[in-house]
Amino acid sequence: MESARFVRVLLRRPDLRTPFPARFATRLRGRAVRRLDRRAKYLVAILSSDETLVMHLGMSGSFRVERAQKTKRGVRLQADLGPAKAGPHTGTHDHVVFHMSSGFRITFTDPRRFGFMDLLTPRELAEHPALSRLGPEPLSSAFDAAALARACRGKKTSLKAALLDQRVVAGLGNIYVSEALHRARLSPLRLASTIATASGAPRPAAVRLAAAIKQVLWQAIARSAKAYRRGDRFRVYDRAGERCRHANCRGTIAQRTQSGRTTFYCPACQR
Ligand SMILES: [Zn+2]
């Protein structure tokens, strides 16, 4: 999509989770994608019109990327690069199709329709309740122990709640917060402020935690579908009652609810 133009935009229904913005297809057509990026759980395309196309997969959304190949009988689609293995034909749950000038066709499929797309002007982007206040991307160099400590300084919420707060760090979900806290041997119940000094400098806990967050996410990206099916995806998440996986720890993984979300942790080694 990057540096390609939208040649055709096909909407096969008026809405996803929310209605498509006014004149959605018209505002996209002819515009080029300057840059494709991610912010938290949003996919973001910055357009030559200065508008930003914001996309979210919701619960069940995925994009299928196919290259259109010119043949004697017209255009054939092949080279399925996306996770959905449907053929070139448009399926029941294919709600949006982008035909790009690069020859690629990008199809958004979403059976449950919790995903959404929006088109924001620079001003709307700057005032967007979620996007304008996002913390640093966890895998970027902007996110480190110092940034984490600054964000947690004086915070009287649990460390778990702080890490789920998108203003502290962007796009970290419930599962990976549990995993990172276990790896860093930090209790989800301790106060967020305890990883920083009074002036907001990182304590050793912040250094361990920032590193653990990056490790957990890199591992998640690298992990194969095979491991996922084997069920050894997580070290602590969804393992209540099992032995702690830290060497030399005899603890048992506990489960409790914090601000409406399930937390899994080892009370023995996570302090
Ligand atoms: Zn343990």
Side-chain angles (χ1 to χ4, degrees):
M1 287 178 85
E2 273 188 336
S3 71
R5 279 176 297 104
F6 291 88
V7 175
R8 236 179 99 213
V9 175
L10 192 66
L11 304 182
R12 302 188 63 234
R13 44 177 307 119
D15 58 359
L16 294 168
R17 187 168 83 199
T18 54
F20 288 108
R23 300 170 46 248
F24 185 55
T26 314
R27 283 157 74 189
L28 288 177
R29 207 177 307 131
R31 306 301 186 180
V33 174
R34 265 203 219 122
R35 198 159 51 84
L36 203 56
D37 210 350
R38 72 166 273 189
R39 287 303 278 136
K41 292 170 185 171
Y42 301 89
L43 289 154
V44 169
I46 295 111
L47 309 180
S48 55
S49 58
D50 282 335
E51 291 194 304
T52 300
L53 169 62
V54 179
M55 300 165 279
H56 196 289
L57 299 177
M59 303 285 287
S60 59
S62 67
F63 282 96
R64 192 166 75 244
V65 181
E66 298 155 308
R67 186 195 284 280
Q69 260 204 354
K70 287 204 175 90
T71 67
K72 278 175 194 161
R73 282 184 299 171
V75 172
R76 191 160 58 98
L77 291 162
Q78 57 168 225
D80 189 349
L81 307 172
K85 285 292 176 209
H89 304 293
T90 310
T92 322
H93 303 298
D94 293 347
H95 306 308
V96 185
V97 186
F98 298 136
H99 292 265
M100 306 303 293
S101 59
S102 53
F104 282 93
R105 178 174 102 155
I106 292 109
T107 305
F108 180 66
T109 306
D110 188 1
R112 295 178 67 184
R113 274 190 280 116
F114 281 111
F116 66 85
M117 290 194 192
D118 207 350
L119 201 47
L120 305 177
T121 63
R123 187 178 165 176
E124 285 168 337
L125 184 66
E127 292 170 357
H128 193 276
L131 283 165
S132 64
R133 296 189 304 170
L134 284 175
E137 289 294 317
L139 291 177
S140 73
S141 55
F143 179 75
D144 57 12
L148 183 58
R150 261 197 316 274
C152 288
R153 175 190 176 189
K155 240 180 158 31
K156 298 299 175 204
T157 56
S158 70
L159 192 50
K160 166 87 188 279
L163 293 177
L164 284 175
D165 183 344
Q166 304 294 300
R167 292 168 297 185
V168 171
V169 52
L172 213 54
N174 192 39
I175 292 175
Y176 292 116
V177 166
S178 284
E179 292 294 297
L181 285 169
H182 183 249
R183 184 179 278 268
R185 296 185 187 240
L186 294 171
S187 171
L189 310 174
R190 72 191 261 160
L191 285 183
S193 59
T194 58
I195 69 166
T197 64
S199 62
R203 292 187 189 277
V207 176
R208 289 210 310 277
L209 185 53
I213 288 169
K214 286 178 193 275
Q215 281 164 1
V216 158
L217 291 179
W218 279 122
Q219 218 171 53
I221 291 167
R223 194 157 289 150
S224 68
K226 210 158 120 194
Y228 185 96
R229 280 196 299 274
R230 273 203 312 270
D232 54 8
R233 195 169 170 214
F234 307 115
R235 288 170 54 90
V236 65
Y237 189 85
D238 209 17
R239 291 191 181 277
E242 291 183 30
R243 258 302 264 292
C244 175
R245 293 193 158 200
H246 274 306
N248 308 320
C249 179
R250 306 185 65 88
T252 303
I253 303 304
Q255 173 180 351
R256 62 183 286 163
T257 305
Q258 275 185 295
S259 27
R261 311 294 305 273
T262 313
T263 294
F264 296 89
Y265 70 109
C266 172
C269 71
Q270 287 181 253
R271 297 293 168 154

